Amino acid sequence: MKLFVKAAGRVHGFAIFKSFLEKSQWWSEDQRDAWITKQLRRTLVSALAVPAYRDRFATIGFDPRTDFRGPDNLERLPILTRNEVRSLGARLYAPQFPGTCITAHTSGTTGEPLALRLAESFVAFDSACVFRHWSWAGYQLRQPIVAVRSYVPDRPSDPLWRYSRAQNTMYLSAYHLTPRTCQLYIDLVLEHRPRIIRGYPSTLAVFAEYAYRRRAELAFVSGVFTSSETLLDHEREIIERTFGNKVFNWYGMTEPALVLTECEMRQGMHVNWEYGHAELVGSDDLPSDEFRLVTTCFHNPVMPLIRYDTGDVVRVHSVDRRCKCGRTMPLLRSISGRKDECISTPDGRRLPSVNFYTMFREYNEVLRFQIAQYGQREIVVRVAPRADARLDASVLDRMRSGLRARLGAGVLIEIEVTDRFITNADGKSPPIVRRPCTRAVEERTEYAISSQAAWTRRAHGSNVHKLDWNEASEVPSRRVRDVLMELLQHDENICWYPEVASRELIGRIADYVDLEPANVLLVHGSDMGIELLATSLVHKDDSVLIVTPTYDNFRAVVEHHGARVVTFDYDGSIPFDFDAFENTMRSESIRLVYISNPNNPLGYVLDTALLQRIEALCCQLSSIVVVDEAYFEFCGVSIASRVREVDSPVIVLRTFSKAFGLAGLRIGYILASDSMLRALRKVHNPKSVTSFAKAAALAVLHDVGSMQAYVEEVRHGRERVMQLLIRNGVRAYPSAGNYVLFECPNAQEVVTHLERDGIQVRDRTAHTAGRDSVRCTIGSSQSVDALTASLDSYFAMET
């Protein structure tokens, strides 16, 4: 039925064009306005047979047979939205058309199609407007056409083109236009010698780029007709560069709404007033030259749309103007519609969203869809099923085959059945979303840093105690400044890359940790050590176990490498449940374990006996355990000695940022077995650690006593803060690091109070199951004095 109605509509449409539209475009304005009034009256009166309109008219007391006087009366009627069309459903159908219509579906900017019933009369009039538009480029019936759209090969072995003798049209697959196939497409166009070429703007722009060198041979083309997408200025420029000033843009919809067409003068878009009545409705959120496009169609009595909000915005000329073509069709400046993204395939194709609408219309089970492209080779297709439908394996397999036929073999396709779609800033879910990074990066929660207010305060000369990032509050060794000043005397230390061997520093670190130099790898801060481990050890979809709460950067990095993170919660208040930990390890097939010891932010420390049990379990399961010992100097507990074993699964992260006070220079190190580090060095860039960082680290290792004195000062300060909190009835977590975390009724209030006193601390409520919590760094005695004084004043106010 649908194919028959379309074929009959084309024949009928050509007759309408020749008998009516070819003449009406030149009518006087009085003739035009009288005809529009007559058609509006007929449309409104016939709508009385439609249940939804009968109710609407009755509600406002409007009878079109007696109350309609002209187009201005339409303002009495409510505007019809797309959501209302969807919810009204069959109540918008006229009952006198039981079987003489076809069903069509819109695409929609959300990928959720709208079902419409269309009469043959509408199909015919739509075709008539198409024929008139083509005639503006000199097209006559049966002249050859090339359409770069509306065809996709069913099988990989099928040709990339199909010829319709009935329409004298060569259809070329818009899905397969690539640098490799462009010559075939150009040859087919030259062989068929079309009078006009039609297609999606984005596709025709790509074709025009490929065909530019042979533009002289394409002079026989009299018009390039773009439709179904917003034609962007740069796409028009590309097309016209190859074909000349021959672009004819078309605006239309699957909905029986309105058609706008560009003529040979290209001064704007003509309103096809014979198709439907256009209202330009102003809005406070639009500039003075832009209006919402609201329409009433004249030719679909089976499902009339009266005062239908198209959802599009049009721009008008600053003054009313008549086109130089002489037609009396009203002229708009342009359509300000949104442009969907295109899928860009690895073999150079650009596939607009329109290319996928036809495919998804074949699946009655699908309510809406969204295609997300990550980078260039990952495609995630999200489909929401209808309430009464089921997307079983056979349907998904067929869908996957259809997508593969369009996207090619060079991409990874994943289909998700879900009602959760990616939304943009205005809350809509576009049918195509493109993201530059991999899915693992784009869909993960970023690592959030705390406030940088301390730097701002310092820049303005204010005194500040920065107790939010667990840095040292001073550089314990005075030697650091001396060696840095010495380095600054020689330009090569600034303009040369650093010397990469670092034998003296690595030897000093090896002595400090009681290991061999082969067990030590310098990194640009332990954060870069984490990045190195993720790059080297984590594959997409590996399972990584993290003992939480903890330093969140590890989670962010491994997730961005495609890992699936499993958490094991432990707050140190009860003995560690090793059996539950082992069950998680075995059931989740864990590849990598991450433990911060002492724990950040809670402060508890796991003893070496427990760490060795975890090591033994990892040996059994061929897993790796990463122990972050950033705060080792404050607790003295380490598992680093285990890396002496050749096949040890232990990797230890250490840093000079905490006890040694070198956070600003970014230097740390990895301790692991010789065989593990040999593998990591294949990825590691040794020049990433600066000469200044290395010199400073060497200096502090020559002055370990100063560091140890600072650690004792921190331990004493930590005890002072703990006692103050206990005295005030505050729950404080015992800490083996240079920080204390405590719970309080209003964490943000405490943070704000301390900030007013020039003290920066961190709200860690998210790490204590929603219980308001604050973590403060413990530094020098001066900073502890300021912290305790401010906390005393806060607790005094509370009592």
Side-chain angles (χ1 to χ4, degrees):
M1 170 63 79
K2 188 171 185 177
L3 292 177
F4 172 78
V5 170
K6 285 190 171 183
R10 280 192 292 269
V11 175
H12 185 188
F14 186 75
I16 294 173
F17 158 58
K18 295 301 291 184
S19 64
F20 176 49
L21 293 185
E22 197 169 34
K23 303 177 183 66
S24 62
Q25 61 188 324
W26 310 107
W27 280 5
S28 69
E29 292 185 8
D30 287 343
Q31 282 179 290
R32 180 192 71 195
D33 293 345
W35 190 92
I36 289 173
T37 299
K38 179 181 177 181
Q39 290 301 114
L40 279 172
R41 181 188 302 277
R42 189 179 74 171
T43 299
L44 293 173
V45 171
S46 67
L48 286 170
V50 178
Y53 288 114
R54 189 164 56 244
D55 292 347
R56 283 183 169 227
F57 294 168
T59 299
I60 63 173
F62 176 80
D63 186 338
R65 294 168 295 193
T66 57
D67 297 338
F68 180 74
R69 298 287 184 270
D72 290 345
N73 292 145
L74 288 177
E75 293 182 2
R76 291 185 58 185
L77 305 179
I79 289 176
L80 181 69
T81 68
R82 173 169 295 202
N83 284 337
E84 286 177 316
V85 173
R86 183 176 288 108
S87 62
L88 288 169
R91 288 181 53 76
L92 276 175
Y93 300 162
Q96 67 267 36
F97 297 93
T100 57
C101 59
I102 63 173
T103 300
H105 294 85
T106 65
S107 55
T109 58
T110 64
E112 183 175 353
L114 186 68
L116 302 162
R117 299 185 75 183
L118 307 176
E120 189 276 337
S121 58
F122 168 76
V123 175
F125 209 92
D126 192 74
S127 298
C129 291
V130 170
F131 283 121
R132 179 169 68 181
H133 194 209
W134 292 354
S135 74
W136 294 352
Y139 172 82
Q140 297 180 20
L141 188 64
R142 295 294 303 162
Q143 287 186 322
I145 299 172
V146 163
V148 192
R149 58 175 296 163
S150 305
Y151 168 67
V152 58
D154 292 329
R155 297 176 296 275
S157 58
D158 288 347
L160 303 182
W161 54 273
R162 176 180 64 84
Y163 175 66
S164 169
R165 184 176 300 277
Q167 300 175 50
N168 196 14
T169 298
M170 176 75 71
Y171 290 95
L172 306 179
S173 171
Y175 300 93
H176 296 89
L177 180 57
T178 69
R180 184 174 55 82
T181 62
C182 66
Q183 191 57 55
L184 169 64
Y185 280 51
I186 295 169
D187 290 343
L188 288 168
V189 170
L190 292 173
E191 178 184 341
H192 194 60
R193 296 185 65 82
R195 186 63 182 267
I196 63 175
I197 297 177
R198 47 189 292 261
Y200 312 125
S202 53
T203 304
L204 291 180
V206 173
F207 177 78
E209 281 196 9
Y210 293 149
Y212 174 72
R213 293 184 179 181
R214 303 186 69 176
R215 60 193 180 279
E217 301 174 65
L218 295 166
F220 54 78
V221 176
S222 61
V224 179
F225 288 78
T226 58
S227 63
S228 301
E229 290 182 311
T230 301
L231 172 64
L232 302 181
D233 289 343
H234 78 273
E235 292 170 337
R236 181 187 289 274
E237 291 172 5
I238 292 170
I239 296 169
E240 291 183 343
R241 182 168 171 256
T242 296
F243 290 99
N245 191 22
K246 300 176 181 179
V247 174
F248 294 80
N249 193 23
W250 163 286
Y251 165 89
M253 312 173 71
T254 305
E255 298 99 311
L258 192 69
V259 164
L260 308 176
T261 46
E262 182 181 27
C263 75
E264 66 275 15
M265 294 300 163
R266 295 168 186 86
Q267 294 181 316
M269 300 292 288
H270 285 289
V271 177
N272 286 232
W273 54 267
E274 309 96 330
Y275 193 105
H277 179 64
E279 295 178 70
L280 305 185
V281 179
S283 180
D284 293 339
D285 60 347
L286 294 175
S288 59
D289 65 339
E290 292 189 357
F291 298 85
R292 292 164 55 202
L293 182 60
V294 175
T295 70
T296 300
C297 182
F298 298 145
H299 304 285
N300 194 48
V302 67
M303 186 181 177
L305 296 184
I306 298 172
R307 301 205 77 205
Y308 175 67
D309 189 342
T310 64
D312 287 319
V313 172
V314 297
R315 294 191 184 97
V316 300
H317 291 285
S318 55
V319 295
D320 288 339
R321 59 192 298 182
R322 186 164 178 173
C323 185
K324 292 180 181 179
C325 70
R327 298 177 180 91
T328 56
M329 305 167 72
L331 189 68
L332 301 175
R333 181 181 168 194
S334 62
I335 302 115
S336 181
R338 290 188 179 90
K339 176 86 167 183
D340 287 348
E341 278 280 12
C342 292
I343 295 294
S344 179
T345 64
D347 55 6
R349 294 176 289 144
R350 284 176 55 79
L351 308 179
S353 58
V354 183
N355 285 358
F356 297 94
Y357 294 144
T358 303
M359 178 192 138
F360 279 100
R361 286 174 190 156
E362 298 174 4
Y363 295 90
N364 295 326
E365 304 91 341
V366 174
L367 174 65
R368 59 191 297 213
F369 72 91
Q370 184 181 68
I371 301 174
Q373 180 174 28
Y374 301 92
Q376 202 172 46
R377 296 184 180 274
E378 285 183 279
I379 299 288
V380 177
V381 180
R382 296 176 173 89
V383 290
R386 297 186 182 277
D388 57 347
R390 181 170 172 266
L391 292 171
D392 58 26
S394 63
V395 174
L396 295 178
D397 287 344
R398 186 160 53 91
M399 191 181 298
R400 190 173 288 104
S401 297
L403 289 164
R404 178 66 65 201
R406 289 158 173 79
L407 296 167
V411 296
L412 176 67
I413 299 172
E414 185 174 346
I415 299 176
E416 291 184 358
V417 180
T418 180
D419 59 358
R420 301 186 66 180
F421 285 46
I422 297 172
T423 57
N424 53 26
D426 61 7
K428 293 189 175 181
S429 300
I432 286 186
V433 177
R434 289 189 63 200
R435 297 289 184 260
C437 299
T438 64
R439 185 186 186 191
V441 170
E442 295 285 0
E443 293 192 0
R444 298 298 190 261
T445 304
E446 65 181 291
Y447 168 62
I449 61 174
S450 64
S451 167
Q452 293 285 280
W455 286 102
T456 304
R457 287 188 172 200
R458 180 57 57 85
H460 289 85
S462 301
N463 187 37
V464 61
H465 296 281
K466 191 173 186 298
L467 307 182
D468 54 349
W469 276 24
N470 294 350
E471 304 112 321
S473 52
E474 61 184 37
V475 181
S477 175
R478 299 297 93 185
R479 296 188 183 193
V480 172
R481 289 182 178 81
D482 295 337
V483 299
L484 294 181
M485 291 298 295
E486 175 60 26
L487 287 179
L488 288 171
Q489 305 309 309
H490 306 283
D491 282 357
E492 64 268 21
N493 292 317
I494 300 173
C495 62
W496 289 4
Y497 287 114
E499 187 268 328
V500 299
S502 308
R503 291 186 181 86
E504 183 180 2
L505 175 57
I506 290 175
R508 277 284 175 178
I509 293 173
D511 290 342
Y512 174 70
V513 299
D514 193 22
L515 292 169
E516 298 299 319
N519 299 123
V520 180
L521 179 65
L522 284 179
V523 289
H524 184 61
S526 57
D527 287 340
M528 289 301 100
I530 290 172
E531 180 66 45
L532 175 62
L533 296 180
T535 300
S536 306
L537 303 176
V538 175
H539 296 273
K540 185 178 182 298
D541 297 327
D542 275 349
S543 296
V544 174
L545 179 63
I546 299 179
V547 179
T548 54
T550 192
Y551 180 46
D552 192 51
N553 188 49
F554 188 87
R555 186 274 315 161
V557 171
V558 295
E559 280 191 336
H560 292 171
H561 281 77
R564 183 180 68 91
V565 168
V566 179
T567 59
F568 184 84
D569 295 333
Y570 179 63
D571 66 3
S573 61
I574 59 175
F576 189 88
D577 191 340
F578 186 82
D579 290 340
F581 179 84
E582 181 177 355
N583 288 338
T584 303
M585 287 284 294
R586 294 184 183 278
S587 62
E588 299 289 349
S589 301
I590 298 300
R591 160 68 175 160
L592 201 68
V593 181
Y594 175 76
I595 300 171
S596 62
N597 200 47
N599 175 268
N600 172 26
L602 300 181
Y604 68 79
V605 62
L606 302 180
D607 61 34
T608 53
L610 176 60
L611 293 174
Q612 287 176 12
R613 289 185 70 188
I614 293 173
E615 175 195 11
L617 177 62
C618 288
C619 284
Q620 293 178 30
L621 302 178
S622 298
S623 303
I624 296 170
V625 56
V626 177
V627 183
D628 190 337
E629 295 185 354
Y631 305 95
F632 157 74
E633 281 78 13
F634 298 100
C635 72
V637 176
S638 176
I639 195 174
S641 63
R642 301 300 302 167
V643 308
R644 292 192 182 95
E645 303 298 325
V646 175
D647 297 321
S648 172
V650 174
I651 297 175
V652 173
L653 290 168
R654 292 274 188 91
T655 182
F656 286 94
S657 295
K658 309 301 180 183
F660 289 102
L662 304 184
L665 292 172
R666 309 305 297 127
I667 182 167
Y669 52 96
I670 295 175
L671 304 176
S673 68
D674 182 19
S675 60
M676 176 65 75
L677 291 189
R678 280 201 306 272
L680 294 180
R681 288 188 182 98
K682 295 177 181 179
V683 180
H684 178 53
N685 185 342
K687 70 176 185 293
S688 62
V689 184
T690 69
S691 298
F692 296 91
K694 292 177 183 179
L698 191 58
V700 297
L701 287 174
H702 280 291
D703 190 15
V704 172
S706 295
M707 178 273 291
Q708 291 172 337
Y710 176 72
V711 167
E712 283 303 313
E713 185 177 358
V714 168
R715 288 173 176 166
H716 178 69
R718 188 176 67 201
E719 183 60 24
R720 288 176 57 195
V721 173
M722 289 290 290
Q723 291 303 317
L724 181 151
L725 295 170
I726 292 170
R727 285 197 307 272
N728 285 278
V730 175
R731 181 191 178 190
Y733 289 76
S735 174
N738 67 335
Y739 48 88
V740 170
L741 182 119
F742 60 92
E743 295 180 8
C744 50
N746 192 326
Q748 195 53 52
E749 186 179 279
V750 175
V751 171
T752 301
H753 175 85
L754 293 172
E755 281 180 350
R756 284 197 292 265
D757 289 341
I759 301 168
Q760 300 293 138
V761 296
R762 200 162 182 182
D763 186 331
R764 297 315 249 165
T765 302
H767 293 263
T768 53
R771 299 187 299 274
D772 277 43
S773 305
V774 174
R775 190 196 66 192
C776 52
T777 304
I778 308 299
S780 64
S781 56
Q782 180 185 7
S783 66
V784 172
D785 288 344
L787 175 63
T788 53
S790 185
L791 285 174
D792 266 333
S793 68
Y794 175 79
F795 292 131
M797 290 188 302
E798 289 297 296
T799 56

